[in-house]
Amino acid sequence: MTDTIEVDALTEAQASTELAHLAKAIAKANAAYHTDDAPEISDAAYDDLKRRNAAIEARFPQLKRADSPSDQVGAPVAEGFSKVTHAVAMLSLANAFDDDDVAEFDQRIRKYLGMDAKAALSYTAEPKIDGLSLSLRYENGELVQAATRGDGAVGENVTANARTIENVPQRIAGAPELLEVRGEVYMSHPDFEALNERQAEAGQKTFANPRNAAAGSLRQLDANITRARPLRFFAYAWGALSDPLADTQMGAIQRLEAFGFQTNPLTRLCDGTQDMIAHYRHIEQERATLGYDIDGVVYKVNDLALQSRLGFRSTTPRWAVAHKFPAELAWTRLDAIDIQVGRTGALSPVARLTPVTVGGVVVSNATLHNEDYIAGRDSKGGVIRDGKDIRVGDWVQVYRAGDVIPKIADTDVSKRPQDAVAFQFPHRCPECGSDAIREEGDAVRRCTGGLICPAQAVEKLKHFVGRSAFDIEGLGAKQVEMFYHDDQLPIRTPADIFSLKDRDARNLSKLANRDGWGETSARNLFNAIEERRKVPLGRVIFALGIRHVGEVAANDLARHYTTWPSFALAVDTAAPAAECQLQADAAEVAEREQAAQEGRRARIKPVRDAAWADLPADARAAWLDLTGIDGIGASVATALVTTFQQEAERQSIDALISGLDIQEAEARTTADSPVAGKTVVFTGTLEKMTRAEAKARAETLGAKVSGSVSAKTDLLVAGPGAGSKAKKAADLGVETIDEDGWLELIEAL
Ligand code: IVH
């Protein structure tokens, strides 16, 4: 029986057969349970079938059946929706806040494409709908799947619910064999008000705004509830396609319209930024009468060939931008300032406010950034708010822009209570009492308690189990908090997660016997943890939650070092260099002060060179290699070294690593790319593409792009005017080609 084969070991054919069996078995169990009220199998056995089905679907998303059991809403799947891996990631948009940002967007694109400022370049401009995005998959014209954006890579399967949306076609004619239509699900103002009235009458919860109402309605486990909610859909983009829709964005939108999708009537083709901004003003004027919420205008490069040349950054396309409407404002009382301690120890002041409605949402908390912000200074020491500080009791102006956390923009000192005193920012961590210090040049005060600080430890754990990190099903922020404070079965460090099952087995009181748990959920949790023992290197590095090391940096590091041992060795070897950098920084500050006192220019270089010269050669090399990785600067490198050098942190990391099966990192794309895994350096002038484009292209083909030539360089692409790098490459015997050679090499890829 295929049942006994690990999902990872299944062939595609076996998977397909098994999915068919599972669909039948689950349907039979469903019928017995729901229709006949006479279950034939135990809940646990049922759960196992569902889980296996989901695991196979996750590994072979292309095999997911139209009648997949994961789509059957209403079945007893308490965990919620099944997951859908998007064939093409669902990204978000970069923002522009004023006309200058729009001009910059246009300039960046021209620069990237090597286009003249005067060359014609047109964009589409359309309202940015304030709803939630949805991807609809059509195969041979049939709607087969609908998924929310989720984290962009994996969304929730909401097929049954999407089928209830009136203007989502179930079937379309004349479409490509495979077509994923993307757009926004939203609720109109009148529908929203009527829904809230009905909810209130029925004694049910009302929604803060149409966006929440739309999201809450689409993400209902019971599709019949969704059916009763008046949702609508605007199509504005697409995902996977078997054939292109058109040559232009506008043409593609017209095709979607011809297939029967609602597209936004305010979509226009604009000839450059002036036109775009004029249309923005027009939409802004119409905003109040549209009958649905919008929060800005989206501009997209019209020519699809240019879109594809421009490509994507990690989470946003280069060819589009969202020009947001100005933030919404309101005045209220600042009742208190609380200090929260984050994962990296940052003390963040939070304003507790007398609740106030800002743009339709009730706001009772807002961020105050850091102590300088409260005092009336920006992070560089400059004066803000005319130097007015913010005090408890003040009358403050709150604003929010889109989804971002509300902020305090201003304070009205004329209304300040007489007894209001300047806020004293704590110099000790309110959670663990350790010193909270500010480093040179850092606006943030940080708790020095490290892992002994419970707030930091818990936040680190939450980050560790987060979606882009270990993503352990059934172990979210709430459970982490619970286990952290548990005396019987504590989780205080990441390694504790992986020893949970063994510790539970040794304990007298079992997790399964606790309130809110039970055999199935305990077993599910242990299984979910086991499933994550095998983990890609990039995820591990990201999961450690080291300051400055985001997802992108973590993956860059993983691709560069490929294995944990070589990564750890590199960080350890580079340690003296990081130490030297820190000392040099301090020496530089001292020299600057001294020079300022003596009225002369500071001599920085000798200070740095002297410190550097004393370093062991391997430390210097490791440091240069680390900071030579594109996107990894001195601050990331220093943060890595510092973390690895801290005893408690290091012990925690080592304990974790020893329990994991870390997968070697692979180059980004197809193994048949001739540059996959190679380190490439570009130098001199490129004539056929800009440097940024060449770099992005090389990276999508799996190459590592470095800024400097070393013995590790595999290929130097040298344009005219190449200088010292070309010479160094020649000395090192590094293969050197010109731009045409490069284009030939990557041609047809
Ligand atoms: S285009 C690859 N067009 O805004 C980019 N997005 O902030 C595809 N949105 O996740 C998005 N109206 O949910 C696009 N006319 C519009 C939009 C729009 C609303 C949403 C979408 C996206 C978010 C990004």
Side-chain angles (χ1 to χ4, degrees):
M1 252 188 60
T2 46
D3 225 81
T4 49
I5 303 180
E6 288 259 12
V7 172
D8 276 341
L10 285 174
T11 65
E12 193 163 344
Q14 286 171 324
S16 165
T17 318
E18 196 178 339
L19 284 178
H21 282 310
L22 284 165
K24 246 195 216 155
I26 294 170
K28 190 158 171 269
N30 274 339
Y33 185 99
H34 289 290
T35 323
D36 309 331
D37 260 348
E40 287 173 350
I41 56 175
S42 72
D43 286 2
Y46 180 86
D47 286 351
D48 284 342
L49 292 179
K50 292 281 281 202
R51 225 186 353 262
R52 175 123 182 129
N53 187 70
I56 299 177
E57 285 179 350
R59 191 168 156 231
F60 299 98
Q62 74 279 19
L63 293 184
K64 182 153 187 198
R65 301 167 59 87
D67 66 345
S68 162
S70 3
D71 295 345
Q72 276 138 31
V73 179
V77 270
E79 304 102 76
F81 298 99
S82 67
K83 290 183 176 173
V84 172
T85 303
H86 296 299
V88 175
M90 287 183 82
L91 299 174
S92 61
L93 293 168
N95 291 326
F97 296 101
D98 56 28
D99 298 0
D100 287 347
D101 289 350
V102 177
E104 250 172 52
F105 163 69
D106 176 63
Q107 282 156 13
R108 257 198 321 274
I109 287 183
R110 287 174 188 273
K111 185 159 171 235
Y112 190 94
L113 296 171
M115 271 173 87
D116 203 87
K118 292 201 191 71
L121 183 57
S122 56
Y123 296 87
T124 57
E126 71 205 58
K128 183 170 188 298
I129 317 297
D130 197 6
L132 73 155
S133 47
L134 182 69
S135 184
L136 301 164
R137 187 178 170 96
Y138 291 86
E139 286 173 13
N140 300 312
E142 288 280 336
L143 175 62
V144 294
Q145 187 175 74
T148 62
R149 184 174 142 206
D151 64 357
V154 179
E156 287 169 324
N157 187 333
V158 291
T159 313
N161 303 19
R163 288 190 199 283
T164 70
I165 303 176
E166 224 176 81
N167 67 350
V168 165
Q170 299 285 327
R171 201 160 288 117
I172 52 183
E177 217 175 289
L178 168 65
L179 168 64
E180 283 180 4
V181 178
R182 291 178 175 176
E184 204 84 351
V185 173
Y186 68 101
M187 196 178 281
S188 76
H189 291 161
D191 286 341
F192 165 70
E193 272 146 32
L195 170 66
N196 262 357
E197 251 168 56
R198 286 202 307 274
Q199 293 284 106
E201 270 167 28
Q204 308 248 353
K205 79 164 198 174
T206 56
F207 296 97
N209 55 46
R211 204 194 86 84
N212 286 1
S217 303
L218 184 68
R219 299 182 62 261
Q220 282 289 337
L221 286 175
D222 181 353
N224 289 320
I225 299 182
T226 311
R227 191 185 304 282
R229 303 273 174 86
L231 295 175
R232 299 182 199 208
F233 179 76
F234 269 129
Y236 53 65
W238 54 93
L241 278 180
S242 54
D243 298 291
L245 291 173
D247 295 336
T248 60
Q249 177 76 30
M250 207 59 178
I253 297 302
Q254 279 155 0
R255 291 244 7 238
L256 293 179
E257 207 175 312
F259 296 145
F261 291 94
Q262 185 184 2
T263 61
N264 196 287
L266 284 167
T267 309
R268 293 273 186 286
L269 192 59
C270 298
D271 280 338
T273 50
Q274 261 193 352
D275 239 15
M276 288 145 75
I277 289 165
H279 193 48
Y280 172 90
R281 302 263 180 269
H282 173 66
I283 294 177
E284 197 176 24
Q285 269 176 7
E286 298 290 303
R287 185 180 184 187
T289 61
L290 293 178
Y292 51 86
D293 278 355
I294 63 173
D295 57 348
V297 173
V298 183
Y299 307 124
K300 299 171 185 167
V301 169
N302 188 42
D303 184 332
L304 297 185
L306 295 183
Q307 280 193 9
S308 93
R309 272 181 66 193
L310 286 158
F312 302 89
R313 305 175 200 95
S314 63
T315 60
T316 57
R318 288 196 189 83
W319 42 264
V321 78
H323 188 178
K324 302 300 274 292
F325 291 132
E328 308 192 65
L329 300 166
W331 286 89
T332 189
R333 178 91 49 206
L334 174 62
D335 296 327
I337 297 177
D338 286 349
I339 304 290
Q340 283 177 352
V341 182
R343 158 169 71 82
T344 57
L347 267 50
S348 309
V350 179
R352 306 293 180 203
L353 306 165
T354 301
V356 62
T357 308
V358 190
V361 174
V362 178
V363 171
S364 46
N365 301 311
T367 174
L368 283 164
H369 308 286
N370 53 53
E371 59 187 291
D372 285 350
Y373 190 83
I374 298 176
R377 289 189 305 270
D378 66 17
S379 51
K380 295 195 184 75
V383 168
I384 50 170
R385 295 188 306 271
D386 303 326
K388 289 180 284 184
D389 68 338
I390 294 175
R391 301 186 179 185
V392 172
D394 269 0
W395 195 245
V396 291
Q397 190 184 42
V398 185
Y399 76 100
R400 44 185 292 278
D403 253 353
V404 296
I405 317 160
K407 300 188 170 86
I408 304 283
D410 204 0
T411 180
D412 184 347
V413 274
S414 72
K415 294 201 175 134
R416 174 170 286 173
Q418 283 198 332
D419 57 354
V421 289
F423 182 70
Q424 290 296 320
F425 203 91
H427 286 201
R428 282 188 180 282
C429 172
E431 299 286 340
C432 71
S434 302
D435 286 342
I437 58 164
R438 275 181 78 170
E439 274 168 23
E440 191 65 42
D442 192 353
V444 175
R445 189 169 286 280
R446 287 171 204 278
C447 159
T448 53
L451 287 178
I452 67 146
C453 174
Q456 280 190 57
V458 170
E459 292 307 314
K460 262 187 185 292
L461 283 167
K462 286 183 188 165
H463 171 83
F464 186 86
V465 299
R467 255 212 265 213
S468 303
F470 273 70
D471 189 24
I472 298 170
E473 214 172 316
L475 193 61
K478 216 174 76 193
Q479 289 80 7
V480 160
E481 192 97 45
M482 185 287 277
F483 278 116
Y484 186 85
H485 298 287
D486 195 296
D487 288 333
Q488 299 273 343
L489 199 58
I491 294 180
R492 308 255 155 83
T493 67
D496 292 344
I497 296 173
F498 291 94
S499 64
L500 194 70
K501 186 178 174 185
D502 287 350
R503 287 185 291 135
D504 185 65
R506 290 198 301 268
N507 269 2
L508 279 179
S509 99
K510 305 278 179 226
L511 184 60
N513 299 331
R514 300 219 194 153
D515 272 2
W517 285 85
E519 286 292 340
T520 312
S521 32
R523 185 158 27 86
N524 284 351
L525 177 61
F526 297 143
N527 288 344
I529 291 171
E530 284 313 307
E531 259 178 44
R532 289 293 186 264
R533 250 186 227 282
K534 191 166 166 191
V535 57
L537 178 60
R539 277 193 184 247
V540 180
I541 299 176
F542 173 68
L544 297 177
I546 296 168
R547 210 173 137 201
H548 304 306
V549 184
E551 224 178 320
V552 175
N555 284 319
D556 287 343
L557 288 163
R559 272 194 294 274
H560 188 81
Y561 294 107
T562 69
T563 67
W564 174 268
S566 56
F567 166 64
L569 179 66
V571 176
D572 288 339
T573 313
E579 182 57 31
C580 162
Q581 288 282 326
L582 290 174
Q583 278 167 12
D585 286 346
E588 181 180 325
V589 172
E591 162 65 10
R592 279 189 200 285
E593 277 171 11
Q594 180 91 29
Q597 267 179 20
E598 292 170 12
R600 59 172 172 82
R601 278 178 61 173
R603 287 188 294 267
I604 305 301
K605 198 165 175 296
V607 172
R608 294 215 164 253
D609 287 353
W612 193 243
D614 290 340
L615 275 180
D618 63 342
R620 226 180 304 165
W623 176 262
L624 290 177
D625 185 46
L626 178 58
T627 53
I629 303 173
D630 214 56
I632 305 293
S635 52
V636 174
T638 314
L640 287 169
V641 167
T642 317
T643 307
F644 275 50
Q645 297 289 307
Q646 274 165 10
E647 215 177 291
E649 286 270 13
R650 186 53 179 270
Q651 270 175 14
S652 156
I653 293 174
D654 288 344
L656 167 72
I657 299 302
S658 70
L660 297 177
D661 172 11
I662 301 177
Q663 290 165 286
E664 210 170 298
E666 281 174 28
R668 218 183 277 218
T669 39
T670 46
D672 47 22
S673 151
V675 293
K678 299 256 167 81
T679 301
V680 180
V681 176
F682 292 95
T683 186
T685 319
L686 300 182
E687 287 161 337
K688 309 237 162 73
M689 44 171 84
T690 62
R691 188 70 76 82
E693 188 176 2
K695 175 170 170 283
R697 188 96 170 91
E699 283 176 351
T700 11
L701 293 171
K704 298 172 203 160
V705 178
S706 167
S708 58
V709 174
S710 74
K712 291 205 175 143
T713 312
D714 295 300
L715 183 65
L716 179 74
V717 181
S724 62
K725 288 186 193 167
K727 187 176 171 303
K728 188 159 179 204
D731 292 346
L732 291 168
V734 169
E735 186 186 350
T736 303
I737 57 176
D738 63 8
E739 189 180 6
D740 284 337
W742 164 251
L743 290 174
E744 220 167 275
L745 184 68
I746 62 167
E747 198 186 33
L749 286 168

Coordinates of all heavy atoms in Angstrom, one line a residue, residues 64 70-71 79-86 90 132-135 145-162 215 218-221 467:
K64 N -3.6 18.5 -7.3 CA -4.8 18.7 -6.4 C -6.1 18.5 -7.3 O -6.2 19.1 -8.4 CB -4.7 20.1 -5.9 CG -5.8 20.3 -5.0 CD -5.5 21.4 -4.0 CE -6.7 21.4 -3.1 NZ -6.8 22.5 -2.3
S70 N -9.8 18.7 0.6 CA -9.4 19.9 1.4 C -10.4 21.0 1.1 O -10.4 22.0 1.8 CB -8.0 20.3 1.2 OG -7.4 19.5 0.2
D71 N -11.1 21.0 0.0 CA -12.0 22.1 -0.4 C -13.4 21.9 0.3 O -14.2 22.8 0.2 CB -12.2 22.1 -1.9 CG -11.0 22.5 -2.6 OD1 -10.0 22.9 -1.9 OD2 -10.9 22.3 -3.8
E79 N -8.9 22.9 12.2 CA -7.7 23.8 12.0 C -8.0 24.9 10.9 O -7.1 25.7 10.8 CB -6.5 22.9 11.4 CG -6.1 21.8 12.3 CD -6.7 20.5 11.7 OE1 -6.2 20.0 10.7 OE2 -7.7 20.0 12.2
G80 N -9.0 24.8 10.2 CA -9.3 25.9 9.3 C -9.1 25.4 7.8 O -9.5 24.3 7.5
F81 N -8.6 26.3 7.0 CA -8.6 26.0 5.6 C -7.4 25.2 5.2 O -6.3 25.3 5.9 CB -8.6 27.3 4.8 CG -9.8 28.1 5.0 CD1 -9.8 29.2 5.9 CD2 -10.9 27.9 4.3 CE1 -10.9 29.9 6.1 CE2 -12.1 28.6 4.5 CZ -12.1 29.6 5.4
S82 N -7.5 24.4 4.1 CA -6.3 23.8 3.6 C -5.4 24.8 3.0 O -5.9 25.9 2.7 CB -6.7 22.7 2.7 OG -7.2 23.2 1.5
K83 N -4.2 24.5 2.7 CA -3.3 25.5 2.1 C -3.1 25.3 0.6 O -3.2 24.1 0.1 CB -1.9 25.3 2.8 CG -2.0 25.8 4.2 CD -0.6 25.8 4.9 CE -0.8 26.4 6.3 NZ 0.5 26.2 7.0
V84 N -2.9 26.4 -0.1 CA -2.7 26.3 -1.5 C -1.3 27.0 -1.8 O -1.1 28.1 -1.3 CB -3.8 27.1 -2.2 CG1 -3.4 27.2 -3.7 CG2 -5.1 26.4 -2.1
T85 N -0.4 26.3 -2.4 CA 0.8 26.9 -2.8 C 0.6 27.6 -4.1 O 0.2 27.0 -5.1 CB 1.9 25.8 -2.9 OG1 2.0 25.2 -1.7 CG2 3.3 26.5 -3.3
H86 N 0.8 28.9 -4.1 CA 0.5 29.6 -5.4 C 1.6 29.3 -6.4 O 2.8 29.2 -6.2 CB 0.6 31.1 -5.1 CG -0.4 31.6 -4.2 ND1 -1.8 31.5 -4.4 CD2 -0.3 32.2 -3.0 CE1 -2.5 32.0 -3.4 NE2 -1.6 32.5 -2.5
M90 N 1.9 35.6 -4.9 CA 1.1 36.8 -4.9 C 1.8 37.9 -4.1 O 2.0 37.7 -2.9 CB -0.3 36.4 -4.2 CG -1.1 35.6 -5.1 SD -2.7 35.3 -4.4 CE -3.6 36.8 -4.8
L132 N -9.5 42.3 0.0 CA -8.4 41.3 0.1 C -8.3 40.6 -1.2 O -9.2 40.4 -1.9 CB -8.7 40.4 1.3 CG -9.8 39.3 1.1 CD1 -9.5 38.2 2.0 CD2 -11.1 39.9 1.5
S133 N -7.0 40.3 -1.5 CA -6.8 39.7 -2.8 C -7.1 38.2 -2.9 O -7.1 37.5 -1.9 CB -5.4 40.0 -3.3 OG -4.5 39.7 -2.3
L134 N -7.5 37.8 -4.1 CA -8.0 36.4 -4.3 C -7.4 36.0 -5.6 O -7.4 36.8 -6.6 CB -9.5 36.5 -4.3 CG -10.2 35.1 -4.5 CD1 -10.0 34.3 -3.2 CD2 -11.7 35.3 -4.7
S135 N -7.0 34.7 -5.7 CA -6.5 34.2 -6.9 C -7.5 33.1 -7.4 O -7.7 32.1 -6.6 CB -5.1 33.6 -6.7 OG -4.6 33.1 -7.9
Q145 N -10.2 26.4 -8.5 CA -9.7 26.7 -7.2 C -9.6 28.2 -6.9 O -9.4 28.9 -7.9 CB -8.3 26.1 -7.1 CG -7.6 26.2 -5.8 CD -6.3 25.6 -5.8 OE1 -5.3 26.1 -6.3 NE2 -6.2 24.4 -5.2
A146 N -9.9 28.5 -5.7 CA -9.7 29.9 -5.3 C -8.9 30.0 -4.0 O -9.1 29.2 -3.1 CB -11.1 30.6 -5.1
A147 N -7.9 30.9 -4.0 CA -7.1 31.0 -2.8 C -6.8 32.4 -2.4 O -6.7 33.3 -3.3 CB -5.7 30.3 -3.1
T148 N -6.7 32.6 -1.1 CA -6.4 34.0 -0.6 C -4.9 34.1 -0.8 O -4.2 33.2 -1.1 CB -6.7 34.1 0.9 OG1 -5.9 33.1 1.6 CG2 -8.2 33.9 1.2
R149 N -4.4 35.3 -0.5 CA -3.0 35.6 -0.7 C -2.1 34.9 0.4 O -1.1 34.4 0.1 CB -2.8 37.1 -0.6 CG -1.4 37.4 -0.9 CD -1.2 38.9 -1.0 NE 0.1 39.2 -0.4 CZ 0.5 40.3 0.2 NH1 -0.3 41.3 0.2 NH2 1.6 40.4 0.8
G150 N -2.6 34.8 1.6 CA -1.8 34.2 2.6 C -0.5 35.0 2.8 O -0.5 36.2 2.8
D151 N 0.6 34.2 2.9 CA 1.9 34.9 3.0 C 2.5 35.3 1.6 O 3.6 35.6 1.5 CB 2.8 34.1 3.8 CG 3.2 32.8 3.2 OD1 2.6 32.5 2.1 OD2 4.0 32.0 3.7
G152 N 1.7 35.1 0.6 CA 2.2 35.4 -0.8 C 2.6 34.1 -1.5 O 2.4 34.0 -2.7
A153 N 3.2 33.2 -0.7 CA 3.6 31.9 -1.3 C 2.5 30.9 -1.1 O 2.2 30.1 -2.0 CB 4.9 31.4 -0.7
V154 N 2.0 30.8 0.1 CA 0.9 29.9 0.4 C -0.3 30.6 0.9 O -0.2 31.4 1.8 CB 1.5 28.9 1.5 CG1 0.4 27.9 1.8 CG2 2.7 28.2 1.0
G155 N -1.4 30.3 0.3 CA -2.7 30.9 0.8 C -3.7 29.9 1.3 O -3.3 28.7 1.3
E156 N -4.8 30.4 1.6 CA -5.9 29.5 2.1 C -6.8 29.1 0.9 O -7.2 30.0 0.1 CB -6.7 30.2 3.1 CG -5.9 30.3 4.4 CD -6.7 31.2 5.4 OE1 -7.3 32.2 5.0 OE2 -6.6 31.0 6.6
N157 N -7.2 27.9 0.9 CA -8.1 27.4 -0.1 C -9.5 27.8 0.3 O -10.1 27.3 1.2 CB -8.0 25.9 -0.1 CG -8.7 25.3 -1.3 OD1 -9.7 25.9 -1.8 ND2 -8.3 24.2 -1.8
V158 N -10.1 28.7 -0.5 CA -11.4 29.2 -0.2 C -12.3 29.0 -1.4 O -13.2 29.8 -1.7 CB -11.4 30.7 0.2 CG1 -10.8 30.9 1.5 CG2 -10.7 31.6 -0.9
T159 N -12.1 27.9 -2.1 CA -12.8 27.6 -3.4 C -14.3 27.7 -3.2 O -15.0 28.4 -3.9 CB -12.4 26.3 -3.9 OG1 -11.0 26.2 -3.9 CG2 -12.9 26.1 -5.4
A160 N -14.8 26.9 -2.2 CA -16.3 26.8 -2.0 C -16.8 28.2 -1.8 O -17.9 28.5 -2.3 CB -16.6 25.9 -0.9
N161 N -16.1 29.0 -1.0 CA -16.6 30.3 -0.7 C -16.6 31.3 -1.9 O -17.6 32.0 -2.1 CB -15.7 30.9 0.4 CG -15.7 30.1 1.7 OD1 -16.0 28.9 1.6 ND2 -15.3 30.6 2.8
A162 N -15.5 31.2 -2.7 CA -15.4 32.1 -3.8 C -16.5 31.8 -4.8 O -17.0 32.7 -5.5 CB -14.1 31.9 -4.5
A215 N -13.2 40.4 4.5 CA -12.2 39.3 4.8 C -12.9 38.3 5.7 O -12.8 37.1 5.5 CB -11.0 39.9 5.5
L218 N -15.3 36.1 3.6 CA -14.7 35.2 2.6 C -14.0 34.0 3.4 O -14.1 32.9 3.0 CB -13.6 35.9 1.8 CG -13.0 35.0 0.7 CD1 -14.0 34.6 -0.4 CD2 -11.8 35.6 0.1
R219 N -13.5 34.3 4.6 CA -12.8 33.3 5.3 C -13.7 32.6 6.3 O -13.3 32.4 7.5 CB -11.6 33.9 6.0 CG -10.6 34.5 4.9 CD -9.3 35.1 5.5 NE -8.5 34.1 6.2 CZ -8.5 33.9 7.5 NH1 -9.3 34.7 8.3 NH2 -7.8 33.0 8.1
Q220 N -14.9 32.3 5.9 CA -15.8 31.5 6.7 C -15.6 30.0 6.5 O -15.6 29.6 5.3 CB -17.2 31.9 6.4 CG -17.7 33.2 6.9 CD -17.9 33.1 8.4 OE1 -18.1 32.1 9.0 NE2 -17.8 34.3 9.1
L221 N -15.6 29.2 7.5 CA -15.5 27.8 7.2 C -16.7 27.2 6.6 O -16.7 26.2 5.9 CB -15.1 27.1 8.5 CG -13.7 27.3 9.0 CD1 -13.4 26.6 10.3 CD2 -12.7 26.7 7.9
R467 N 5.5 32.1 10.3 CA 5.3 31.5 9.0 C 6.5 31.4 8.1 O 6.7 30.4 7.4 CB 4.3 32.3 8.2 CG 2.9 31.6 8.2 CD 2.2 32.0 7.0 NE 1.3 33.1 7.3 CZ 0.2 33.3 6.8 NH1 -0.3 32.5 5.9 NH2 -0.6 34.3 7.1

